[in-house]
Amino acid sequence: MERKRVFSGSRPSGRLHLGNYLGAVENWVKMQHEYDCVFAIVDHHAITTPFDPRELQTNTRDMLVDLLAVGLDPSECTLVIQSELPQHTELAWILGSITPIGWLQRVPTFKEKSEMHPDNVNLGLLSYPVLQAADILLYKAEVVPVGEDQLPHVELAREIVRRFNHRFGDTFPEPEAEVPRHTARIMSLTEPEKKMSKSLGPDSYISIGDDPETVKEKVMKAVTDTGPTSGEMSPGVANLFTLLREFGDEKQHREFLDEYEEGIIRYVDLKEATAAAIIDTLQPVRKRRQKLLQSPQRLREIMETGHERASTIACTTLREVKERTGLGPGREF
Ligand code: TYM
């Protein structure tokens, strides 16, 4: 039986962090064995917010290294760099021509990013979700493993599919987002009411490649509260519990929860245990990263193999789209 196609992507606007890992990439690693997966480093998306060309090059390589180090296996999935396959942007243009601007202006990330960078509200930022839809549709993906923040984008991709199929005939499946049950939204360590993100400063997130001292320092500085109250657990404390559950063991997590419920927890102990659990998990990842960084030839080969396979799929889809829309092939001259 044919395996379902999966697509997802990550922006190389910095290093892979624990939010990316728990919200999406951990699922990618699991899914690569069951599905036909294509994963992309989406550098065209990364240039919609301020960037430095040299850093973008390094970040793209580092993103590849991080993805491999956490367990993506190039013999089990297809890895691509978005800008190396022009079919992504070509399809985005066609989809952009059937997407009403009103749909795009309503997207929450457009509003957020425009406020964050008021002097750089560019066209790419507005059409960002169209390019994202093109990424998914180019491979006719049915499943899109992402964190919760990406749901509006996947919903928009579904709307674009409906519009395209209605106008030009059944071409694309409607993709479905797959969001993890417990880790759909990992919070920032410094501003725990916001999601963990590179844009909130280095202390707000933990990178996959952070060394043990840095991890410890960041976790110890994490914002909590002044002690348990009778109300709901504060977002900073809840976030530490999530990290401990994901990286540590269930028994330890249970013991701290009991202490929290009894009102006798010491946050310094919770932080120490959480930092230790993260450091333990990241140790082998760091080793694999270091090894991969020493073999640029291997990285090049991995990307070449990925591109070859991805471009076969991408060219087939684009040919079909162009035939259906009266562009290029099928002309009578
Ligand atoms: P990006 O690069 O911001 O993030 C990559 C993935 O990590 C998830 N994520 C989080 N999950 C939980 N908690 C967090 N704090 C957190 N921060 C990030 C994101 O939800 C995402 O799944 N627009 C996308 C990239 C993209 C894409 C695509 C995704 C481009 N084309 C096609 C899927 C399909 C983005 O900026 O992700």
Side-chain angles (χ1 to χ4, degrees):
M1 204 179 77
E2 282 242 322
R3 296 189 300 170
K4 272 193 187 177
R5 174 81 39 77
V6 166
F7 180 90
S8 198
S10 186
R11 254 175 322 142
S13 49
R15 301 283 305 279
L16 197 75
H17 59 64
L18 295 189
N20 301 136
Y21 177 67
L22 294 175
V25 178
E26 193 180 27
N27 251 345
W28 302 4
V29 174
K30 286 185 203 143
M31 291 172 107
Q32 64 182 338
H33 306 292
E34 289 167 48
Y35 295 91
D36 177 6
C37 294
V38 181
F39 299 122
I41 299 171
V42 289
D43 48 355
H44 270 150
H45 279 110
I47 64 171
T48 58
T49 44
F51 69 100
D52 173 81
R54 245 175 222 265
E55 270 176 30
L56 182 59
Q57 289 281 8
T58 319
N59 287 342
T60 303
R61 184 214 45 198
D62 282 349
M63 180 66 68
L64 172 63
V65 168
D66 285 348
L67 291 174
L68 295 168
V70 297
L72 284 188
D73 177 350
S75 62
E76 293 281 329
C77 66
T78 302
L79 284 165
V80 299
I81 295 174
Q82 184 191 37
S83 66
E84 292 193 14
L85 286 158
Q87 294 85 0
H88 285 251
T89 40
E90 195 173 349
L91 181 58
W93 181 265
I94 300 172
L95 299 179
S97 307
I98 61 159
T99 308
I101 290 182
W103 289 5
L104 301 171
Q105 283 164 330
R106 283 196 294 273
V107 171
T109 38
F110 174 65
K111 292 185 198 155
E112 272 163 37
K113 299 255 164 77
S114 308
E115 278 164 24
M116 209 184 282
H117 309 289
D119 49 357
N120 190 18
V121 185
N122 58 72
L123 180 58
L125 199 57
L126 181 66
S127 62
Y128 184 112
V130 177
L131 179 57
Q132 181 156 347
D135 296 339
I136 301 167
L137 272 49
L138 194 56
Y139 302 97
K140 298 197 175 183
E142 293 176 74
V143 190
V144 184
V146 283
E148 193 181 74
D149 62 314
Q150 296 300 312
L151 289 178
H153 292 159
V154 179
E155 190 46 49
L156 201 107
R158 291 166 63 86
E159 287 185 56
I160 293 176
V161 166
R162 289 196 282 271
R163 193 169 257 241
F164 188 97
N165 286 351
H166 179 72
R167 175 118 189 250
F168 303 108
D170 229 3
T171 311
F172 299 113
E174 268 186 49
E176 294 212 22
E178 179 145 326
V179 173
R181 190 151 0 128
H182 301 295
T183 54
R185 194 176 179 82
I186 301 298
M187 309 315 280
S188 149
L189 298 176
T190 48
E191 298 171 68
E193 58 297 332
K194 298 186 183 158
K195 66 164 188 170
M196 182 178 281
S197 135
K198 286 156 265 196
S199 58
L200 296 177
D203 282 351
S204 72
Y205 65 90
I206 293 171
S207 285
I208 288 299
D210 276 348
D211 57 47
E213 296 72 39
T214 311
V215 173
K216 177 114 196 230
E217 223 173 88
K218 289 183 184 177
V219 176
M220 297 314 283
K221 278 199 284 191
V223 170
T224 50
D225 54 42
T226 50
T229 59
S230 52
E232 222 174 86
M233 192 183 272
S234 68
V237 176
N239 200 39
L240 288 175
F241 270 108
T242 302
L243 295 174
L244 181 62
R245 192 192 52 229
E246 294 304 312
F247 294 108
D249 68 76
E250 183 50 41
K251 185 167 160 274
Q252 200 179 26
H253 179 254
R254 187 68 255 164
E255 282 166 5
F256 276 110
L257 257 187
D258 288 344
E259 286 185 15
Y260 177 85
E261 274 153 22
E262 287 167 40
I264 56 166
I265 191 166
R266 288 188 346 142
Y267 289 148
V268 63
D269 299 335
L270 174 66
K271 286 178 174 180
E272 268 173 9
T274 305
I278 298 173
I279 290 166
D280 261 10
T281 312
L282 292 187
Q283 204 197 356
V285 175
R286 273 172 22 93
K287 279 210 181 118
R288 283 197 290 273
R289 284 194 80 254
Q290 276 152 10
K291 214 168 150 202
L292 284 158
L293 281 170
Q294 284 160 7
S295 36
Q297 173 67 19
R298 168 99 185 103
L299 298 179
R300 263 195 302 280
E301 282 165 12
I302 289 172
M303 291 325 299
E304 275 163 23
T305 314
H307 287 151
E308 214 175 293
R309 170 141 196 279
S311 87
T312 310
I313 310 170
C315 288
T316 308
T317 307
L318 201 60
R319 197 174 315 117
E320 184 187 352
V321 167
K322 287 174 118 180
E323 270 167 22
R324 286 185 183 272
T325 51
L327 296 159
R331 264 193 231 114
E332 283 169 8
F333 62 92

PDB file of all heavy atoms in Angstrom, residues 235-257:
ATOM      1  N   PRO A 235       1.929  30.014  33.829  1.00  0.00           N
ATOM      2  CA  PRO A 235       2.486  29.463  32.571  1.00  0.00           C
ATOM      3  C   PRO A 235       3.959  29.091  32.672  1.00  0.00           C
ATOM      4  O   PRO A 235       4.387  28.093  32.076  1.00  0.00           O
ATOM      5  CB  PRO A 235       2.275  30.576  31.547  1.00  0.00           C
ATOM      6  CG  PRO A 235       1.750  31.751  32.261  1.00  0.00           C
ATOM      7  CD  PRO A 235       1.318  31.343  33.637  1.00  0.00           C
ATOM      8  N   GLY A 236       4.760  29.851  33.449  1.00  0.00           N
ATOM      9  CA  GLY A 236       6.189  29.553  33.559  1.00  0.00           C
ATOM     10  C   GLY A 236       6.417  28.217  34.258  1.00  0.00           C
ATOM     11  O   GLY A 236       7.256  27.405  33.841  1.00  0.00           O
ATOM     12  N   VAL A 237       5.654  27.972  35.339  1.00  0.00           N
ATOM     13  CA  VAL A 237       5.812  26.724  36.091  1.00  0.00           C
ATOM     14  C   VAL A 237       5.282  25.553  35.254  1.00  0.00           C
ATOM     15  O   VAL A 237       5.925  24.497  35.152  1.00  0.00           O
ATOM     16  CB  VAL A 237       5.080  26.819  37.455  1.00  0.00           C
ATOM     17  CG1 VAL A 237       5.144  25.495  38.196  1.00  0.00           C
ATOM     18  CG2 VAL A 237       5.688  27.943  38.294  1.00  0.00           C
ATOM     19  N   ALA A 238       4.144  25.779  34.603  1.00  0.00           N
ATOM     20  CA  ALA A 238       3.566  24.713  33.764  1.00  0.00           C
ATOM     21  C   ALA A 238       4.558  24.325  32.666  1.00  0.00           C
ATOM     22  O   ALA A 238       4.714  23.144  32.333  1.00  0.00           O
ATOM     23  CB  ALA A 238       2.253  25.190  33.149  1.00  0.00           C
ATOM     24  N   ASN A 239       5.256  25.325  32.129  1.00  0.00           N
ATOM     25  CA  ASN A 239       6.225  25.065  31.063  1.00  0.00           C
ATOM     26  C   ASN A 239       7.382  24.202  31.581  1.00  0.00           C
ATOM     27  O   ASN A 239       7.820  23.261  30.920  1.00  0.00           O
ATOM     28  CB  ASN A 239       6.746  26.402  30.537  1.00  0.00           C
ATOM     29  CG  ASN A 239       7.358  26.304  29.167  1.00  0.00           C
ATOM     30  OD1 ASN A 239       6.862  25.583  28.299  1.00  0.00           O
ATOM     31  ND2 ASN A 239       8.451  27.028  28.958  1.00  0.00           N
ATOM     32  N   LEU A 240       7.861  24.501  32.799  1.00  0.00           N
ATOM     33  CA  LEU A 240       8.946  23.694  33.376  1.00  0.00           C
ATOM     34  C   LEU A 240       8.472  22.256  33.582  1.00  0.00           C
ATOM     35  O   LEU A 240       9.207  21.299  33.306  1.00  0.00           O
ATOM     36  CB  LEU A 240       9.412  24.288  34.712  1.00  0.00           C
ATOM     37  CG  LEU A 240      10.220  25.588  34.625  1.00  0.00           C
ATOM     38  CD1 LEU A 240      10.501  26.134  36.028  1.00  0.00           C
ATOM     39  CD2 LEU A 240      11.552  25.378  33.889  1.00  0.00           C
ATOM     40  N   PHE A 241       7.230  22.100  34.050  1.00  0.00           N
ATOM     41  CA  PHE A 241       6.688  20.748  34.223  1.00  0.00           C
ATOM     42  C   PHE A 241       6.619  20.009  32.878  1.00  0.00           C
ATOM     43  O   PHE A 241       6.922  18.820  32.801  1.00  0.00           O
ATOM     44  CB  PHE A 241       5.307  20.789  34.882  1.00  0.00           C
ATOM     45  CG  PHE A 241       5.380  20.728  36.386  1.00  0.00           C
ATOM     46  CD1 PHE A 241       5.108  21.842  37.164  1.00  0.00           C
ATOM     47  CD2 PHE A 241       5.734  19.545  37.031  1.00  0.00           C
ATOM     48  CE1 PHE A 241       5.180  21.783  38.560  1.00  0.00           C
ATOM     49  CE2 PHE A 241       5.810  19.476  38.427  1.00  0.00           C
ATOM     50  CZ  PHE A 241       5.538  20.599  39.183  1.00  0.00           C
ATOM     51  N   THR A 242       6.222  20.737  31.830  1.00  0.00           N
ATOM     52  CA  THR A 242       6.159  20.095  30.502  1.00  0.00           C
ATOM     53  C   THR A 242       7.554  19.625  30.089  1.00  0.00           C
ATOM     54  O   THR A 242       7.741  18.488  29.639  1.00  0.00           O
ATOM     55  CB  THR A 242       5.635  21.099  29.436  1.00  0.00           C
ATOM     56  OG1 THR A 242       4.358  21.547  29.858  1.00  0.00           O
ATOM     57  CG2 THR A 242       5.539  20.466  28.072  1.00  0.00           C
ATOM     58  N   LEU A 243       8.545  20.512  30.276  1.00  0.00           N
ATOM     59  CA  LEU A 243       9.912  20.147  29.871  1.00  0.00           C
ATOM     60  C   LEU A 243      10.417  18.959  30.683  1.00  0.00           C
ATOM     61  O   LEU A 243      11.047  18.042  30.150  1.00  0.00           O
ATOM     62  CB  LEU A 243      10.853  21.354  30.018  1.00  0.00           C
ATOM     63  CG  LEU A 243      10.560  22.540  29.086  1.00  0.00           C
ATOM     64  CD1 LEU A 243      11.462  23.730  29.410  1.00  0.00           C
ATOM     65  CD2 LEU A 243      10.727  22.146  27.616  1.00  0.00           C
ATOM     66  N   LEU A 244      10.101  18.966  31.988  1.00  0.00           N
ATOM     67  CA  LEU A 244      10.557  17.849  32.826  1.00  0.00           C
ATOM     68  C   LEU A 244       9.884  16.544  32.391  1.00  0.00           C
ATOM     69  O   LEU A 244      10.530  15.493  32.315  1.00  0.00           O
ATOM     70  CB  LEU A 244      10.256  18.148  34.300  1.00  0.00           C
ATOM     71  CG  LEU A 244      10.712  17.071  35.278  1.00  0.00           C
ATOM     72  CD1 LEU A 244      12.230  16.875  35.243  1.00  0.00           C
ATOM     73  CD2 LEU A 244      10.264  17.388  36.714  1.00  0.00           C
ATOM     74  N   ARG A 245       8.588  16.616  32.072  1.00  0.00           N
ATOM     75  CA  ARG A 245       7.886  15.394  31.654  1.00  0.00           C
ATOM     76  C   ARG A 245       8.468  14.865  30.340  1.00  0.00           C
ATOM     77  O   ARG A 245       8.658  13.664  30.169  1.00  0.00           O
ATOM     78  CB  ARG A 245       6.397  15.669  31.493  1.00  0.00           C
ATOM     79  CG  ARG A 245       5.569  14.391  31.355  1.00  0.00           C
ATOM     80  CD  ARG A 245       4.158  14.659  30.923  1.00  0.00           C
ATOM     81  NE  ARG A 245       4.152  15.479  29.734  1.00  0.00           N
ATOM     82  CZ  ARG A 245       3.410  16.570  29.592  1.00  0.00           C
ATOM     83  NH1 ARG A 245       2.601  16.951  30.539  1.00  0.00           N
ATOM     84  NH2 ARG A 245       3.484  17.285  28.477  1.00  0.00           N
ATOM     85  N   GLU A 246       8.767  15.773  29.414  1.00  0.00           N
ATOM     86  CA  GLU A 246       9.263  15.342  28.104  1.00  0.00           C
ATOM     87  C   GLU A 246      10.692  14.805  28.161  1.00  0.00           C
ATOM     88  O   GLU A 246      11.036  13.879  27.453  1.00  0.00           O
ATOM     89  CB  GLU A 246       9.199  16.496  27.098  1.00  0.00           C
ATOM     90  CG  GLU A 246       7.788  16.934  26.776  1.00  0.00           C
ATOM     91  CD  GLU A 246       6.914  15.797  26.265  1.00  0.00           C
ATOM     92  OE1 GLU A 246       7.343  15.053  25.375  1.00  0.00           O
ATOM     93  OE2 GLU A 246       5.786  15.655  26.798  1.00  0.00           O
ATOM     94  N   PHE A 247      11.531  15.429  28.990  1.00  0.00           N
ATOM     95  CA  PHE A 247      12.949  15.044  28.987  1.00  0.00           C
ATOM     96  C   PHE A 247      13.350  14.159  30.162  1.00  0.00           C
ATOM     97  O   PHE A 247      14.340  13.455  30.095  1.00  0.00           O
ATOM     98  CB  PHE A 247      13.840  16.295  28.943  1.00  0.00           C
ATOM     99  CG  PHE A 247      13.708  17.060  27.658  1.00  0.00           C
ATOM    100  CD1 PHE A 247      13.063  18.276  27.608  1.00  0.00           C
ATOM    101  CD2 PHE A 247      14.216  16.525  26.482  1.00  0.00           C
ATOM    102  CE1 PHE A 247      12.930  18.972  26.407  1.00  0.00           C
ATOM    103  CE2 PHE A 247      14.085  17.214  25.271  1.00  0.00           C
ATOM    104  CZ  PHE A 247      13.439  18.438  25.243  1.00  0.00           C
ATOM    105  N   GLY A 248      12.603  14.248  31.254  1.00  0.00           N
ATOM    106  CA  GLY A 248      12.974  13.484  32.441  1.00  0.00           C
ATOM    107  C   GLY A 248      12.142  12.220  32.561  1.00  0.00           C
ATOM    108  O   GLY A 248      11.539  11.770  31.596  1.00  0.00           O
ATOM    109  N   ASP A 249      12.095  11.660  33.791  1.00  0.00           N
ATOM    110  CA  ASP A 249      11.278  10.456  33.925  1.00  0.00           C
ATOM    111  C   ASP A 249       9.969  10.758  34.654  1.00  0.00           C
ATOM    112  O   ASP A 249       9.845  11.733  35.394  1.00  0.00           O
ATOM    113  CB  ASP A 249      12.065   9.301  34.561  1.00  0.00           C
ATOM    114  CG  ASP A 249      12.398   9.559  36.003  1.00  0.00           C
ATOM    115  OD1 ASP A 249      11.496   9.435  36.848  1.00  0.00           O
ATOM    116  OD2 ASP A 249      13.564   9.937  36.280  1.00  0.00           O
ATOM    117  N   GLU A 250       9.026   9.875  34.387  1.00  0.00           N
ATOM    118  CA  GLU A 250       7.642  10.061  34.844  1.00  0.00           C
ATOM    119  C   GLU A 250       7.572  10.147  36.379  1.00  0.00           C
ATOM    120  O   GLU A 250       6.835  10.964  36.938  1.00  0.00           O
ATOM    121  CB  GLU A 250       6.826   8.869  34.303  1.00  0.00           C
ATOM    122  CG  GLU A 250       5.340   8.880  34.598  1.00  0.00           C
ATOM    123  CD  GLU A 250       4.659  10.214  34.240  1.00  0.00           C
ATOM    124  OE1 GLU A 250       4.994  10.775  33.188  1.00  0.00           O
ATOM    125  OE2 GLU A 250       3.815  10.682  35.036  1.00  0.00           O
ATOM    126  N   LYS A 251       8.412   9.331  37.058  1.00  0.00           N
ATOM    127  CA  LYS A 251       8.346   9.267  38.519  1.00  0.00           C
ATOM    128  C   LYS A 251       8.733  10.625  39.125  1.00  0.00           C
ATOM    129  O   LYS A 251       8.042  11.150  40.013  1.00  0.00           O
ATOM    130  CB  LYS A 251       9.315   8.170  38.991  1.00  0.00           C
ATOM    131  CG  LYS A 251       9.271   7.903  40.470  1.00  0.00           C
ATOM    132  CD  LYS A 251      10.002   6.606  40.801  1.00  0.00           C
ATOM    133  CE  LYS A 251      10.376   6.575  42.269  1.00  0.00           C
ATOM    134  NZ  LYS A 251      11.664   7.246  42.553  1.00  0.00           N
ATOM    135  N   GLN A 252       9.819  11.158  38.624  1.00  0.00           N
ATOM    136  CA  GLN A 252      10.302  12.437  39.125  1.00  0.00           C
ATOM    137  C   GLN A 252       9.261  13.554  38.870  1.00  0.00           C
ATOM    138  O   GLN A 252       8.991  14.386  39.740  1.00  0.00           O
ATOM    139  CB  GLN A 252      11.582  12.779  38.368  1.00  0.00           C
ATOM    140  CG  GLN A 252      12.447  13.781  39.039  1.00  0.00           C
ATOM    141  CD  GLN A 252      13.708  14.036  38.226  1.00  0.00           C
ATOM    142  OE1 GLN A 252      13.722  13.849  37.005  1.00  0.00           O
ATOM    143  NE2 GLN A 252      14.746  14.464  38.891  1.00  0.00           N
ATOM    144  N   HIS A 253       8.666  13.496  37.705  1.00  0.00           N
ATOM    145  CA  HIS A 253       7.638  14.473  37.334  1.00  0.00           C
ATOM    146  C   HIS A 253       6.479  14.387  38.325  1.00  0.00           C
ATOM    147  O   HIS A 253       5.983  15.394  38.839  1.00  0.00           O
ATOM    148  CB  HIS A 253       7.183  14.156  35.890  1.00  0.00           C
ATOM    149  CG  HIS A 253       6.109  15.066  35.385  1.00  0.00           C
ATOM    150  ND1 HIS A 253       4.801  14.664  35.255  1.00  0.00           N
ATOM    151  CD2 HIS A 253       6.140  16.362  34.993  1.00  0.00           C
ATOM    152  CE1 HIS A 253       4.077  15.670  34.793  1.00  0.00           C
ATOM    153  NE2 HIS A 253       4.866  16.706  34.624  1.00  0.00           N
ATOM    154  N   ARG A 254       6.079  13.169  38.623  1.00  0.00           N
ATOM    155  CA  ARG A 254       4.957  12.936  39.553  1.00  0.00           C
ATOM    156  C   ARG A 254       5.302  13.491  40.942  1.00  0.00           C
ATOM    157  O   ARG A 254       4.484  14.147  41.599  1.00  0.00           O
ATOM    158  CB  ARG A 254       4.711  11.422  39.585  1.00  0.00           C
ATOM    159  CG  ARG A 254       3.520  10.883  40.335  1.00  0.00           C
ATOM    160  CD  ARG A 254       2.190  11.247  39.711  1.00  0.00           C
ATOM    161  NE  ARG A 254       1.556  12.293  40.500  1.00  0.00           N
ATOM    162  CZ  ARG A 254       0.553  13.044  40.088  1.00  0.00           C
ATOM    163  NH1 ARG A 254       0.047  12.905  38.902  1.00  0.00           N
ATOM    164  NH2 ARG A 254       0.035  13.961  40.876  1.00  0.00           N
ATOM    165  N   GLU A 255       6.533  13.220  41.388  1.00  0.00           N
ATOM    166  CA  GLU A 255       6.932  13.677  42.733  1.00  0.00           C
ATOM    167  C   GLU A 255       6.889  15.194  42.849  1.00  0.00           C
ATOM    168  O   GLU A 255       6.395  15.740  43.833  1.00  0.00           O
ATOM    169  CB  GLU A 255       8.347  13.164  43.062  1.00  0.00           C
ATOM    170  CG  GLU A 255       8.339  11.704  43.456  1.00  0.00           C
ATOM    171  CD  GLU A 255       9.741  11.077  43.456  1.00  0.00           C
ATOM    172  OE1 GLU A 255      10.748  11.797  43.231  1.00  0.00           O
ATOM    173  OE2 GLU A 255       9.811   9.855  43.668  1.00  0.00           O
ATOM    174  N   PHE A 256       7.387  15.880  41.820  1.00  0.00           N
ATOM    175  CA  PHE A 256       7.349  17.349  41.852  1.00  0.00           C
ATOM    176  C   PHE A 256       5.903  17.864  41.797  1.00  0.00           C
ATOM    177  O   PHE A 256       5.568  18.839  42.466  1.00  0.00           O
ATOM    178  CB  PHE A 256       8.175  17.950  40.706  1.00  0.00           C
ATOM    179  CG  PHE A 256       9.640  18.070  41.031  1.00  0.00           C
ATOM    180  CD1 PHE A 256      10.580  17.275  40.413  1.00  0.00           C
ATOM    181  CD2 PHE A 256      10.079  18.991  41.981  1.00  0.00           C
ATOM    182  CE1 PHE A 256      11.929  17.380  40.722  1.00  0.00           C
ATOM    183  CE2 PHE A 256      11.431  19.115  42.298  1.00  0.00           C
ATOM    184  CZ  PHE A 256      12.357  18.296  41.664  1.00  0.00           C
ATOM    185  N   LEU A 257       5.077  17.161  41.020  1.00  0.00           N
ATOM    186  CA  LEU A 257       3.665  17.586  40.956  1.00  0.00           C
ATOM    187  C   LEU A 257       2.999  17.452  42.316  1.00  0.00           C
ATOM    188  O   LEU A 257       2.247  18.331  42.761  1.00  0.00           O
ATOM    189  CB  LEU A 257       2.904  16.714  39.953  1.00  0.00           C
ATOM    190  CG  LEU A 257       2.590  17.290  38.582  1.00  0.00           C
ATOM    191  CD1 LEU A 257       1.691  16.341  37.811  1.00  0.00           C
ATOM    192  CD2 LEU A 257       1.952  18.674  38.658  1.00  0.00           C
TER     193      LEU A 257
END
